Amino acid sequence: MREGFGKTAWTLTELCTLFREEAQRVGAVVQEAGNWEDAFRYIIELAKARGVSLVAISQSSLPHYQELVQRLAQEGIQAVLPGEAPAQGLRRALTEAGMGISGADLGIAESGTLVLVRGDGRDRLVTALPPLHVALFSAHQLVHTLADAMVILKGWGDGYPPAHISLITGPSRTADIETALVIGVHGPKEVHILILKEREGKEED
Amino acid sequence: MKGLQVEIKRALRDPQLRVAMERFVSINTAARSQAYTEVDLQEIQERVRAMKEKALENLPELFARFKEEARRAGAAVFEAASAEDANRYILELAVRHGVRLAVKSKSMVSEETGLNRRLAEAGIRVVETDLGEWIVQLAGERPSHMVAPAIHKTREEVADLFSQVTGQPLSGAESSELVQVARRELRRIFLEAGMGITGANIAIAESGTLVLVTNEGNGRLVTLLPRLQVALVGYEKLVGTWEEAATILRILARGATGQKISSYVSLITGAVPSLEGYRQLHIVFLDNGRDQMRQDLRYREALYCIRCGACLSVCPPYRSVGGHVYGHIYVGGIGSILTAFYHGMEAAAPSLDLCIGCRACVEVCPAAIDAPRMIVDLRGDRVEQEGLPATRRWILRDVLRNRDRFHRALMAASWAQLPLTRGGPLIRHLPLFFSSQNKWRSLPAIALRPLRRRWTGERVPEGEVQARVAFYSGCLIDFAYPEMGEAVARVLRKEGLAVSFPLGQTCCGIPALYLGDRETACELAQQNIAALEEAGADYVITACPTCSMALRHEFHRLLAGDPVWEARAKAIAARAYDFSEFLVKVLGREGSERARGLEGRRGTYHDPCHLKRGLGVYDEPRELLVDKGLKLVEMMDSDTCCGFGGSYSLSYPGISRDILERKLKNLEATGAEVVATDCPGCVLQLRGGLDKKGKSIQVRHTAEILAEGLG
Ligand code: SF4
């Protein structure tokens, strides 16, 4: 399934650069992380800086999420996992969380777009309700164009496309009042993207 | 039609609307132009057209496939023949599930069916969640734009509306504060709603997938929070594959807002489990006139529309009056066509008249949809169904069709105007042909000696005859600006051509066609074809781009179906050229003696709509003028309509004038001493406007400039 990865005329470094430029252009913050540890540190720093005490984590899209939960707990930051919390509490927790953390299954370099495939509606809500979304993915998950992404998505699971795929490009925005661009309407006001240079663990391959 | 005129007046007098429209148009146009530079628009237009055509051709199969796949993925699919069918299905669903509150992400189809009202009558509250739509809903209005529904509202008006919701005063609030109010208020509603209603931008048949695009993120919340999901989809949204969906996504956001891709694209296949576990997804496909449109090949291309809104910001009348004047949910040129099929001809009639025929929309449309052509066809259908109003009927059928009577009437008018003209080249109170006149634009006097009286026999060159051409002048040059015709003859003679003026020629019929009188237009096409054939020339040359377009494109279209006449029309079309196009493309510029004469004069060029977008000619006149020595300074929006549009400027003087004002502003900003253009109609409009303003800037036909200094 993953054979298409990396088979492009673009080198990974070029794709990374393009992705970063494009995502920044639409207002996302893009950071490269040497390894998971770096990424976790970034998340914790960011949470502290924003005064976040409750985060939601889309565990089905994020490898090593347990480590992250532990690290957050050490800092006194509580994490809610949609796959584990009961429905009632979850609705509340998701609306109160100051940060939503997810993986991304693909990154589209030409437009700085995150593609979320794994998980269900609850995982998507992690990236939709909190005012701040942090997404992590490995550099080798970058593709060049939307068309490249579509080909991969279409054949994702035995020809049955996943139920709810989200393409996310920058924070939520509107220009509906006097054509003035305002960031942060119904979705996140801030999007931080961490690109991991280290390949994901063996369980993926 | 009275209502329309009242609405137009109101819109033109609304200063806030004017400011809002200008702001929107300039920001939106700049963003789109930038985004379009990253793609090969023409290639995309061809691809989108081919793809949409294939999809519409195979629509029943595509739909069957979609239905099968979507059902397999757990969605229910309902086929609604009418708006009422769709509304009833959704209402019953809501009642069955005890829904009291529904949230909706922008769906034009739901506005088309009047779903909100229908649900409200049953006590179910529907809240719009797109910011612009919510504003419009709170104000009890209709969206005025398909992508930016509330552009006509000021920040202060929005603040007032929001104050009523929150009970807190919000006056003086910045846009960003108002957006935060919306986020807070709507967030509560999202969490309470029992039903989420969306449209779909694309429906992918091969997997039964719906594609939903938003920038605000409301589409995601509407599809992820409520337990019950409804998507209301027009059949024309179907495409075959994911790759085809990618093609649409690639251009949709660029055309709409100048983004590479919208902030959020959701691809939804079947029911998505979310907070409370498994949920329901109901997909309602709506026909409501779409199949009739699909079956009628003249109008099928209206279904190519992906609702990007690119056509609106470039539409001069839309820019002047905004969306509400169109009277229905679908606005602009494409909107009036959709309205004709979804709501009926009567509903569409006023808005069909608003199109000035400048073709700016065709140029920027991702599917190059020829809305102006379809609008003319619909006007024709309407006249066939309802007939022509009496005066118009008399002018078109009894005067225009009869060459002698028409020309005698024009001559009578030229004598009647005498006491008023005081010998000046422009007169201030006079009928333009047969209509009453406006105070904002001076009109030319009708020539005492029209071109046809001045021109006897063939005008031959000094040396050897290289080729013979017939000059087709059109009414304006013949009767108002014969000097332009003289100039054309002088330039062509200098090129070694023998130029004749076939006396059997008459009005090209476009004015009749644009008023829906196909019958008269056909009749005139035949008269002109016969006259031009008789001249037996190698080429037919025009100096009026609307006439050129008639000769090249309209005559054979009008006469299609009559094999003999169609072939005759095509033979003329193959020999017909507009003046500057002919000089550059046919005669070539090498070794031309045309150059010199204008050294150092600062000039600008106004592109006539029908020359640029009807014939694809825009470099040629510029090359000729620069060769002649003109120092060319381009004006902003040089190819935007001047507002003339023939009888349009008489039917809708307020809009015509407003369009002209914008043009003159751009024109004056260049500091040019002379404006060149290639259309007598544009000359009339520009000269008339400048004269009224007391400006001394000269307006000349390119032919007149080129003829300067020639014997
Ligand atoms: S007609 Fe063309 S430009 Fe206008 S909204 Fe439709 S697709 Fe866009």
Side-chain angles (χ1 to χ4, degrees):
Chain A
M1 183 179 78
R2 299 217 150 186
E3 272 187 5
F5 280 74
K7 283 192 181 172
T8 147
W10 291 60
T11 66
L12 264 191
T13 316
E14 285 168 341
L15 285 179
C16 260
T17 309
L18 180 62
F19 180 92
R20 180 176 8 178
E21 281 170 10
E22 292 300 326
Q24 283 172 346
R25 198 198 302 279
V26 291
V29 177
V30 184
Q31 201 69 43
E32 280 173 21
N35 52 41
W36 287 95
E37 181 48 36
D38 285 352
F40 292 164
R41 215 175 299 131
Y42 181 92
I43 292 171
I44 287 162
E45 287 306 311
L46 183 64
K48 282 182 174 170
R50 297 289 184 277
V52 171
S53 57
L54 176 65
V55 304
I57 300 177
S58 152
Q59 79 267 44
S60 39
S61 71
L62 195 67
H64 311 295
Y65 70 93
Q66 280 138 333
E67 274 171 65
L68 177 59
V69 173
Q70 272 172 22
R71 293 290 310 278
L72 287 163
Q74 284 163 13
E75 304 289 336
I77 300 167
Q78 206 195 328
V80 56
L81 304 173
E84 291 169 11
Q88 280 175 352
L90 185 58
R91 178 178 282 260
R92 178 104 188 259
L94 280 176
T95 58
E96 283 170 9
M99 179 192 277
I101 305 167
S102 76
D105 297 283
L106 296 174
I108 303 174
E110 67 166 354
S111 53
T113 301
L114 299 166
V115 185
L116 276 50
V117 185
R118 284 175 289 177
D120 61 20
R122 293 168 300 180
D123 295 277
R124 298 298 165 266
L125 283 171
V126 167
T127 67
L129 285 167
L132 170 56
H133 174 203
V134 181
L136 295 84
F137 66 93
S138 297
H140 73 272
Q141 286 166 297
L142 282 169
V143 296
H144 184 198
T145 66
L146 175 66
D148 296 342
M150 284 300 224
V151 172
I152 297 169
L153 291 175
K154 182 173 162 170
W156 193 268
D158 308 327
Y160 287 92
H164 191 119
I165 297 172
S166 282
L167 274 56
I168 300 176
T169 310
S172 154
R173 61 177 195 164
T174 186
D176 275 355
I177 302 177
E178 296 191 338
T179 325
L181 181 65
V182 177
I183 299 299
V185 198
H186 299 300
K189 302 170 192 184
E190 269 188 90
V191 175
H192 291 243
I193 302 169
L194 299 169
I195 305 178
L196 284 156
K197 286 309 185 110
E198 182 186 77
R199 263 189 96 93
E200 276 181 25
K202 289 269 184 293
E203 78 274 10
E204 274 295 299
D205 294 343
Chain B
M1 219 58 31
K2 280 257 167 47
L4 176 65
Q5 296 285 9
V6 171
E7 288 300 315
I8 290 172
K9 268 214 181 90
R10 183 176 311 159
L12 287 169
R13 283 200 194 126
D14 179 346
Q16 286 179 349
L17 176 68
R18 319 206 53 70
V19 172
M21 291 300 291
E22 281 314 298
R23 183 169 41 214
F24 172 76
V25 166
S26 72
I27 296 174
N28 185 259
T29 312
R32 191 189 44 256
S33 314
Q34 174 59 36
Y36 272 7
T37 60
E38 298 155 5
V39 294
D40 180 344
L41 183 60
Q42 209 183 329
E43 187 256 345
I44 288 189
Q45 287 174 328
E46 279 161 24
R47 197 134 48 98
V48 171
R49 287 185 73 85
M51 182 179 105
K52 282 287 194 177
E53 185 53 38
K54 192 181 81 189
L56 289 165
E57 189 59 43
N58 303 315
L59 203 66
E61 294 79 28
L62 277 190
F63 175 69
R65 180 77 197 277
F66 182 96
K67 188 163 68 174
E68 188 188 325
E69 295 296 332
R71 283 187 173 158
R72 198 155 64 129
V77 179
F78 178 72
E79 296 161 54
S82 66
E84 176 47 27
D85 281 356
N87 289 349
R88 197 182 322 115
Y89 179 87
I90 297 168
L91 176 62
E92 283 171 11
L93 190 67
V95 169
R96 208 161 53 237
H97 288 265
V99 173
R100 311 294 313 155
L101 173 66
V103 279
K104 179 136 82 61
S105 165
K106 189 156 71 192
S107 154
M108 302 202 60
V109 178
S110 74
E111 315 230 16
E112 176 188 329
T113 65
L115 178 65
N116 288 9
R117 207 179 334 111
R118 191 67 206 284
L119 291 180
E121 280 162 13
I124 299 163
R125 183 173 167 221
V126 184
V127 178
E128 296 288 348
T129 62
D130 173 86
L131 179 60
E133 293 277 346
W134 192 48
I135 294 168
V136 168
Q137 186 182 37
L138 292 174
E141 294 175 2
R142 258 197 325 269
S144 65
H145 187 284
M146 48 182 120
V147 177
I151 34 163
H152 59 286
K153 286 252 166 284
T154 63
R155 209 170 60 221
E156 291 71 27
E157 289 173 301
V158 175
D160 279 351
L161 290 167
F162 285 11
S163 303
Q164 287 163 30
V165 174
T166 60
Q168 309 284 323
L170 284 164
S171 58
E174 287 300 314
S175 297
S176 52
E177 295 173 63
L178 295 171
V179 170
Q180 289 322 303
V181 171
R183 180 183 174 103
R184 256 196 330 269
E185 292 298 322
L186 289 170
R187 189 52 77 87
R188 264 192 317 105
I189 290 171
F190 273 123
L191 291 164
E192 273 172 37
M195 181 189 249
I197 305 166
T198 66
N201 297 83
I202 309 168
I204 309 175
E206 66 175 342
S207 55
T209 302
L210 296 175
V211 184
L212 196 66
V213 170
T214 67
N215 273 323
E216 296 176 1
N218 56 319
R220 301 183 82 208
L221 296 184
V222 170
T223 55
L224 289 168
L225 285 169
R227 299 188 69 131
L228 191 57
Q229 294 295 311
V230 178
L232 193 47
V233 188
Y235 281 97
E236 79 281 7
K237 296 289 160 63
L238 281 162
V239 300
T241 66
W242 283 57
E243 289 83 353
E244 289 175 340
T247 300
I248 294 180
L249 287 173
R250 202 169 137 71
I251 196 66
L252 177 60
R254 285 187 164 88
T257 51
Q259 291 163 275
K260 291 199 161 115
I261 185 167
S262 305
S263 306
Y264 301 106
V265 178
S266 300
L267 297 124
I268 299 167
T269 312
V272 192
S274 193
L275 284 180
E276 285 92 7
Y278 274 87
R279 305 182 309 152
Q280 289 191 14
L281 170 63
H282 296 256
I283 307 172
V284 179
F285 275 86
L286 179 67
D287 181 5
N288 196 32
R290 286 166 173 78
D291 201 51
Q292 194 198 342
M293 205 184 300
R294 184 178 83 88
Q295 308 273 0
D296 190 335
L297 294 185
R298 290 179 304 161
Y299 302 116
R300 183 184 274 184
E301 69 174 302
L303 294 172
Y304 297 175
C305 175
I306 59 170
R307 310 277 188 273
C308 70
C311 51
L312 296 181
S313 333
V314 300
C315 173
Y318 176 84
R319 204 171 151 175
S320 289
V321 297
H324 286 155
V325 165
Y326 289 81
H328 280 267
I329 177 71
Y330 296 107
V331 304
I334 184 72
S336 57
I337 300 162
L338 300 177
T339 301
F341 283 86
Y342 302 164
H343 302 294
M345 187 68 97
E346 205 178 316
S351 67
L352 285 173
D353 284 354
L354 282 172
C355 173
I356 195 168
C358 75
R359 306 186 61 76
C361 54
V362 189
E363 206 174 31
V364 298
C365 172
I369 295 172
D370 197 341
R373 195 266 305 156
M374 287 187 276
I375 287 173
V376 168
D377 283 347
L378 279 167
R379 289 179 191 160
D381 292 357
R382 184 171 146 219
V383 166
E384 264 163 32
Q385 288 161 22
E386 300 166 16
L388 285 160
T391 319
R392 199 172 266 185
R393 186 185 168 84
W394 173 74
I395 292 173
L396 293 171
R397 300 264 162 107
D398 295 337
V399 182
L400 194 59
R401 247 194 228 186
N402 181 322
R403 194 186 72 228
D404 286 337
R405 195 178 296 163
F406 173 48
H407 290 163
R408 270 204 310 278
L410 286 177
M411 292 312 296
S414 87
W415 291 102
Q417 78 200 10
L418 253 193
L420 292 162
T421 56
R422 293 189 207 98
L426 289 165
I427 48 161
R428 284 167 180 76
H429 302 281
L430 186 99
L432 166 65
F433 294 3
F434 303 105
S435 195
S436 65
Q437 110 89 17
N438 338 104
K439 292 192 192 71
W440 49 277
R441 175 182 69 184
S442 309
L443 291 170
I446 293 179
L448 290 176
R449 271 183 75 214
L451 193 61
R452 59 180 58 240
R453 293 270 172 91
R454 300 180 184 203
W455 198 314
T456 43
E458 199 175 42
R459 306 215 168 159
V460 291
E462 275 163 23
E464 196 186 326
V465 175
Q466 306 288 332
R468 312 202 102 79
V469 307
F471 181 54
Y472 182 78
S473 71
C475 308
L476 267 179
I477 292 183
D478 195 350
F479 288 91
Y481 300 119
E483 64 276 13
M484 290 177 192
E486 301 276 9
V488 169
R490 280 214 298 285
V491 174
L492 293 179
R493 275 181 63 217
K494 194 76 183 171
E495 301 289 333
L497 303 168
V499 196
S500 64
F501 185 96
L503 284 170
Q505 64 178 282
T506 187
C507 171
C508 68
I510 292 288
L513 184 66
Y514 280 19
L515 294 173
D517 188 1
R518 273 201 288 258
E519 206 184 297
T520 298
C522 281
E523 167 80 35
L524 291 172
Q526 290 173 335
Q527 289 178 20
N528 282 309
I529 291 167
L532 293 170
E533 282 170 346
E534 208 183 294
D538 303 310
Y539 301 101
V540 177
I541 305 303
T542 49
C544 168
T546 303
C547 296
S548 300
M549 221 173 66
L551 296 180
R552 283 259 278 274
H553 305 310
E554 300 296 353
F555 284 3
H556 61 81
R557 229 171 62 76
L558 278 165
L559 299 169
D562 179 334
V564 175
W565 275 107
E566 190 182 349
R568 290 171 70 178
K570 283 195 167 148
I572 294 289
R575 289 190 275 146
Y577 292 91
D578 201 81
F579 173 73
S580 66
E581 178 190 30
F582 178 73
L583 286 183
V584 175
K585 280 201 189 141
V586 180
L587 299 184
R589 302 166 65 219
E590 300 299 308
S592 161
E593 301 239 329
R594 274 167 238 139
R596 83 180 179 262
L598 277 186
E599 275 66 25
R601 271 173 79 190
R602 197 179 161 85
T604 190
Y605 187 76
H606 162 70
D607 290 279
C609 297
H610 291 168
L611 189 65
K612 177 154 194 244
R613 291 176 291 270
L615 302 172
V617 173
Y618 47 93
D619 278 338
E620 290 83 350
R622 287 178 169 82
E623 286 173 17
L624 293 166
L625 291 163
V626 169
D627 274 358
K628 185 80 180 172
L630 194 75
K631 191 164 172 293
L632 193 66
V633 199
E634 292 289 347
M635 72 171 112
M636 206 172 100
D637 298 337
S638 67
D639 63 349
T640 299
C641 181
C642 66
F644 177 60
S647 63
Y648 189 95
S649 65
L650 303 170
S651 305
Y652 303 104
I655 297 177
S656 174
R657 174 190 194 166
D658 192 58
I659 298 172
L660 175 64
E661 291 290 332
R662 285 198 294 269
K663 173 59 67 176
L664 294 183
K665 211 185 284 162
N666 290 333
L667 194 158
E668 285 172 44
T670 62
E673 308 157 51
V674 52
V675 195
T677 188
D678 276 75
C679 168
C682 300
V683 169
L684 185 154
Q685 179 85 343
L686 298 176
R687 261 189 209 165
L690 288 167
D691 181 66
K692 274 287 172 189
K693 283 179 175 266
K695 303 280 175 186
S696 60
I697 305 171
Q698 281 185 12
V699 185
R700 315 287 306 273
H701 193 291
T702 299
E704 295 179 279
I705 295 177
L706 297 188
E708 268 178 38
L710 297 182

